Amino acid sequence: MQDLIHIKVNDEEVDVRSGSLLIDALTDNDFDIPHFCYHKDLGTDGNCRMCLVEIDGQKRPQIACDTIVAEGMSVRTKSEATRKLQKSILELELIHHPVDCPICDQAGECKLQDYYMDYGLYNSRLKFDKNKRGKKQDLGSNVILDQERCVLCTRCVRFFPTITKTHELGVFKRADKSVISTFPGEKLKSTYSMNIVDLCPVGALTSKDFRFSQRIWFLKPFESICSGCSKGCNIFVDHTKLKDKDDEIFRFKPRRNVDINKSFICDYGRLSYKKEKTNRLVESVNNINKSLKNTIIDSKNILILASPMLSLEELEYLKEFASKINASLSGYAPRYFDNEFADDILKTCDKSPNKKAIEKLSINSKKEFFNECFKNCDTVIVCENNYFEQNQELLEDKISIGLFSHTQESQYNILEPIKSFYEKDGTYINIDGISQTIFSQLNKNSKKPTIAEVLK
């Protein structure tokens, strides 16, 4: 842990980490510092000059994003001099910016909009026509660029060489004609390209997928994790309830966790929210009735097939339930592994969120164990495991019960809907052994049961 030092901010004593950037020290202690170009996971660039502060002993205001804290430093963030300079900088940003907030997807979470309101730049002094720049340019990878809204913070440009180690965007032309764009004849190719939409502090970069689908202020976010692979990237789930409908997810956004995914997620995980609202299993097929349920429980040869998509609590329940009815429990799930999916940034070859929990609970996931148990069983209870999607014929001489949140092609004797991944609370252990508990706010009044409620 870094040593703490003492500085003064607006005459208030504050403890900060030695060696940290002043802008981080200030924002970590809830002091609002306007900025466009700086980002914790991209580092200092120093081109927007909005984060100016006054420091005792310095002749002129300094940018907080390129200043290291020092013991005894005295800082003023809201002095008349700094606000005057920031107001002038902001006026330069607004000279060629279109007044289209009512139709901009970024409205409601736009830094330029926020600072405009904070600094009261309500009367334009513009005496000439605005520069015309590109509108609705498709950069590829679900990213749309409106060059006329860009403030040239260059976060998007710096993202590629810094994070993906590619060079896909550049700044072209000069002075007030400068624009962000891809290189001639090229499109964005990185499977992390949509992160630049989050990085953009204004409405220049928007998501082709989310664009014009919902207003920001109608969305309700809750903290969760991505279920796309075993990395367990932290996300916000933005959802809302439309009239006469269930809660609907409109997008996933990355949630900063420096130990797992920093501020980023892959495009596959970002768009995986669509699975949540497609092919939902709404009602039972061949409902479980009491006599049939008793017949199953009384069976002497039952196999329960668990899934690495289940939470730690659900897996613990299945282990206890299997012991209670003297059933075999397998965690065999080969169809979640895809070696071609993995990369050296965030994506792993295990496309499930909780394989580590199966290992922690010592649930046997070996192929040989599964094959032996399946060969000898007369009843199989499949819990969110997709193994039989391509092995339907194996179920023909078995009593098969499928507990799923989404429709399966397999012909189960009994098919029961349960809560989906983002509708339930639970704990998940990622590939690095980090345990994360999530609490859902989606469809809290849903009548869909949990696995425990179906099998109790």
Side-chain angles (χ1 to χ4, degrees), residues 320-334:
E320 181 182 337
F321 180 74
S323 176
K324 181 179 178 180
I325 66 172
N326 197 29
S328 300
L329 176 61
S330 170
Y332 183 56

Side-chain angles (χ1 to χ4, degrees), residues 99-253:
V99 186
D100 63 350
C101 294
I103 61 167
C104 179
D105 253 8
Q106 195 78 1
E109 53 184 8
C110 172
K111 287 301 181 184
L112 188 62
Q113 192 178 56
D114 292 343
Y115 299 153
Y116 167 84
M117 298 303 294
D118 289 345
Y119 286 84
L121 296 172
Y122 308 134
N123 297 314
S124 175
R125 297 189 293 176
L126 180 65
K127 301 299 181 183
F128 49 87
D129 293 335
K130 294 176 181 283
N131 283 341
K132 300 292 184 182
R133 294 174 180 158
K135 186 72 177 171
K136 196 182 177 183
Q137 297 180 346
D138 191 339
L139 300 186
S141 296
N142 279 302
V143 178
I144 300 294
L145 169 64
D146 287 304
Q147 289 176 333
E148 61 184 12
R149 295 174 182 163
C150 180
V151 294
L152 293 172
C153 70
T154 70
R155 285 185 183 182
C156 56
V157 177
R158 289 179 283 138
F159 168 78
F160 291 105
T162 304
I163 305 301
T164 66
K165 309 305 179 186
T166 58
H167 298 77
E168 303 188 35
L169 287 176
V171 181
F172 300 88
K173 301 182 183 179
R174 292 183 177 185
D176 64 349
K177 299 292 194 297
S178 296
V179 292
I180 298 292
S181 186
T182 53
F183 292 91
E186 296 293 328
K187 292 282 189 180
L188 297 180
K189 298 176 182 177
S190 171
T191 55
Y192 291 84
S193 294
M194 294 181 73
N195 283 288
I196 64 176
V197 173
D198 308 312
L199 291 173
C200 184
V202 294
L205 293 166
T206 53
S207 164
K208 190 175 182 179
D209 173 71
F210 178 74
R211 190 176 170 95
F212 303 133
S213 66
Q214 190 58 256
R215 277 302 194 181
I216 302 302
W217 45 84
F218 293 138
L219 297 177
K220 300 175 183 177
F222 68 87
E223 297 180 356
S224 188
I225 65 169
C226 176
S227 63
C229 79
S230 59
K231 190 67 177 178
C233 293
N234 286 213
I235 61 172
F236 289 106
V237 177
D238 285 349
H239 67 104
T240 192
K241 181 174 172 54
L242 302 177
K243 187 176 180 181
D244 300 325
K245 292 183 179 180
D246 286 342
D247 261 351
E248 183 177 344
I249 297 175
F250 281 87
R251 66 178 181 180
F252 288 162
K253 292 193 71 177

Side-chain angles (χ1 to χ4, degrees), residues 285-309:
V285 178
N286 299 327
N287 291 324
I288 290 183
N289 58 54
K290 189 173 181 180
S291 60
L292 179 55
K293 190 171 182 179
N294 287 337
T295 300
I296 294 169
I297 292 176
D298 290 340
S299 173
K300 295 181 180 179
N301 297 296
I302 298 176
L303 169 63
I304 299 174
L305 182 59
S307 167
M309 299 298 296

Side-chain angles (χ1 to χ4, degrees), residues 33-36 48-52 63 86 89-90 115 119:
I33 301 296
H35 61 281
F36 290 117
C48 79
R49 320 306 287 181
M50 277 295 290
C51 62
L52 288 166
I63 53 173
Q86 289 164 338
I89 294 166
L90 191 59
Y115 299 153
Y119 286 84

Side-chain angles (χ1 to χ4, degrees), residues 243-395:
K243 187 176 180 181
D244 300 325
K245 292 183 179 180
D246 286 342
D247 261 351
E248 183 177 344
I249 297 175
F250 281 87
R251 66 178 181 180
F252 288 162
K253 292 193 71 177
R255 177 166 55 93
R256 191 170 192 265
N257 185 324
V258 70
D259 296 321
I260 298 178
N261 58 302
K262 293 188 177 179
S263 301
F264 313 115
I265 54 175
C266 70
D267 292 353
Y268 172 85
R270 183 187 297 270
L271 296 175
S272 64
Y273 79 92
K274 295 181 180 181
K275 298 178 183 177
E276 188 72 14
K277 57 183 182 181
T278 57
N279 298 321
R280 286 302 304 268
L281 184 58
V282 179
E283 57 186 28
S284 301
V285 178
N286 299 327
N287 291 324
I288 290 183
N289 58 54
K290 189 173 181 180
S291 60
L292 179 55
K293 190 171 182 179
N294 287 337
T295 300
I296 294 169
I297 292 176
D298 290 340
S299 173
K300 295 181 180 179
N301 297 296
I302 298 176
L303 169 63
I304 299 174
L305 182 59
S307 167
M309 299 298 296
L310 301 178
S311 68
L312 175 64
E313 292 80 3
E314 288 174 310
L315 292 168
E316 287 175 331
Y317 174 80
L318 287 179
K319 188 173 182 180
E320 181 182 337
F321 180 74
S323 176
K324 181 179 178 180
I325 66 172
N326 197 29
S328 300
L329 176 61
S330 170
Y332 183 56
R335 296 195 65 238
Y336 291 99
F337 284 86
D338 182 357
N339 288 324
E340 294 183 0
F341 180 74
D343 62 26
D344 57 0
I345 304 176
L346 292 175
K347 296 191 291 185
T348 71
C349 59
D350 179 7
K351 297 175 74 173
S352 69
N354 219 16
K355 177 67 174 176
K356 283 288 185 180
I358 289 180
E359 296 173 4
K360 179 179 180 178
L361 295 174
S362 300
I363 297 173
N364 196 321
S365 58
K366 293 182 179 179
K367 179 179 180 179
E368 296 76 16
F369 175 77
F370 167 78
N371 286 340
E372 184 65 23
C373 294
F374 185 73
K375 181 176 67 175
N376 296 321
C377 79
D378 50 35
T379 300
V380 58
I381 303 174
V382 183
C383 303
E384 286 279 43
N385 193 308
N386 62 9
Y387 175 73
F388 290 106
E389 281 186 9
Q390 294 182 350
N391 298 280
Q392 297 182 37
E393 69 284 351
L394 298 178
L395 294 173

